[in-house]
Amino acid sequence: MAGIVEADRIISAHQKQAPVETVEIAEALGIKVYKAGNWPENLSAMIRLDAERGGESGYAIYVNAKHPRVRRRFSIAHEIAHFALHRNLIGDGITDDALYRSNMSNAVEAQANRMAADILMPWHLIGEATDQGINTVEALAQHFDVSKSTMSIQLGVPYENS
């Protein structure tokens, strides 16, 4: 089973170009990813041990199929972060609501959100994009296949959605 160092190595190996492919990272970590089509809108994703549907690691990520692609991508990255950082806390599973809150502490969820952002929008690729003239929140969000609000948070700049 991959530890944090191995998980970081695998994640880094998949951060060669934007957009970073979250399902490929999950699969490389031995996690299977599934879309759940019958979930309520307020449920985003979950990771759990799944003897039947889990990957080589034994874990599976389920993501709300009704959510927009950019949200699903962040949700998968968030669950990958739980796998890498908090595997000892997953237990029977972690289910994240639409605000990426679970039964975990705010600190644990904040760590997972931070790592998810760094998985999807690594600083070296942001630098490469800006060097190529891709330098607005909108253009960077499109380039990285994330929401404008997610990109603005990563960059630490305000963004007004008009």
Side-chain angles (χ1 to χ4, degrees):
M1 196 175 320
I4 185 66
V5 172
E6 180 67 5
D8 280 344
R9 186 192 65 72
I10 290 169
I11 291 165
S12 293
H14 287 84
Q15 293 177 314
K16 303 298 184 204
Q17 65 183 22
V20 175
E21 297 299 334
T22 55
V23 173
E24 289 179 13
I25 292 172
E27 289 174 351
L29 289 167
I31 306 167
K32 289 284 189 179
V33 177
Y34 300 94
K35 289 181 185 174
N38 57 351
W39 279 7
E41 185 63 31
N42 68 339
L43 193 59
S44 289
M46 73 177 299
I47 184 168
R48 69 176 187 175
L49 273 171
D50 191 324
E52 199 173 302
R53 299 185 79 192
E56 288 179 26
S57 70
Y59 287 87
I61 292 172
Y62 297 86
V63 64
N64 194 330
K66 296 176 196 167
H67 286 177
R69 184 185 70 255
V70 293
R71 181 167 188 86
R72 290 192 313 264
R73 286 174 38 75
F74 190 91
S75 295
I76 294 166
H78 180 94
E79 300 307 330
I80 288 169
H82 278 311
F83 177 82
L85 298 171
H86 311 125
R87 200 163 331 160
N88 60 322
L89 302 175
I90 293 174
D92 292 336
I94 298 174
T95 302
D96 291 298
D97 68 16
L99 297 175
Y100 297 104
R101 292 184 301 221
S102 67
N103 60 341
M104 299 289 155
S105 72
N106 288 343
V108 166
E109 288 303 325
Q111 283 179 325
N113 282 340
R114 175 81 260 141
M115 185 173 185
D118 290 340
I119 288 170
L120 291 169
M121 302 165 285
W123 288 104
H124 71 279
L125 291 181
I126 290 174
E128 288 177 16
T130 57
D131 288 348
Q132 295 169 14
I134 304 168
N135 54 20
T136 65
V137 169
E138 294 85 355
L140 286 164
Q142 184 176 1
H143 183 72
F144 283 88
D145 200 12
V146 298
S147 71
K148 294 174 194 88
S149 61
T150 298
M151 181 55 72
S152 69
I153 291 167
Q154 179 72 339
L155 296 174
V157 299
Y159 178 76
E160 293 296 322
N161 193 4
S162 41

